[in-house]
Amino acid sequence: MKLEFHHINFVSENVDRLHAFYTEVLGLDDIAQDNFPRTEAEGSRGYTGKIRFATDGGMQMHLAEKELTVAFKNGQVINPVERGHIAFRTDDLQAFLRLLDEKGIPYSDYGTTFAKEWHQVFFQDPEGNVIEVHQQIA
């Protein structure tokens, strides 16, 4: 099982302003939203918040609209768009989930709720910081 650092997610009530800061002030490049196919929200489930993306050519930033009720709406405990999170990509999500289970670390398995092509799981470090581990599925 391999893990690699993938992105940092910051949340904001004004995603366009945040995106402008990172692209215009820090010089990051915009990543077209078409590069991230989203899962359509169904009823009250899912996530309809605005998301923008930027990169330095290697590292990605995902800038998402703050939504305090995402976990509740999706029957989960951990809310990845309340305070933001860091994310890692794995080549074997099931092996990683076994590791979390062995260590007694609870997690919220969102599956493809946010992205059609990623199976995403969220958990917390000992200080309460949210961490995402995902596997590309398409």
Side-chain angles (χ1 to χ4, degrees):
M1 168 187 62
K2 178 183 171 189
L3 282 179
E4 64 182 33
F5 195 59
H6 189 265
H7 68 266
I8 297 172
N9 173 277
F10 286 155
V11 296
S12 174
E13 293 180 5
N14 187 330
V15 172
D16 290 329
R17 180 184 69 205
L18 192 60
H19 184 265
F21 175 84
Y22 283 101
T23 57
E24 296 170 13
V25 176
L26 296 181
L28 298 182
D29 294 321
D30 176 59
I31 303 174
Q33 294 173 340
D34 294 344
N35 291 333
F36 297 90
R38 293 182 63 184
T39 303
E40 293 291 324
E42 295 180 17
S44 64
R45 297 184 68 82
Y47 172 68
T48 59
K50 185 172 198 159
I51 305 174
R52 302 280 312 263
F53 306 94
T55 185
D56 66 355
M59 178 66 191
Q60 293 182 10
M61 293 194 74
H62 296 187
L63 310 170
E65 187 174 355
K66 183 182 279 192
E67 169 58 70
L68 299 178
T69 62
V70 161
F72 178 76
K73 289 178 182 178
N74 290 281
Q76 300 293 337
V77 175
I78 296 172
N79 183 342
V81 290
E82 178 180 357
R83 297 183 305 157
H85 59 272
I86 61 170
F88 297 86
R89 178 170 282 178
T90 185
D91 60 350
D92 190 346
L93 186 60
Q94 292 309 309
F96 186 77
L97 293 179
R98 285 192 299 276
L99 175 66
L100 291 179
D101 289 337
E102 289 169 10
K103 299 290 185 184
I105 299 172
Y107 54 87
S108 288
D109 186 342
Y110 277 87
T112 58
T113 298
F114 299 114
K116 288 182 180 180
E117 299 174 351
W118 298 358
H119 184 142
Q120 295 169 290
V121 174
F122 298 88
F123 57 99
Q124 295 173 315
D125 71 13
E127 295 298 324
N129 299 300
V130 176
I131 301 168
E132 168 190 330
V133 172
H134 71 263
Q135 182 172 356
Q136 197 162 14
I137 58 172

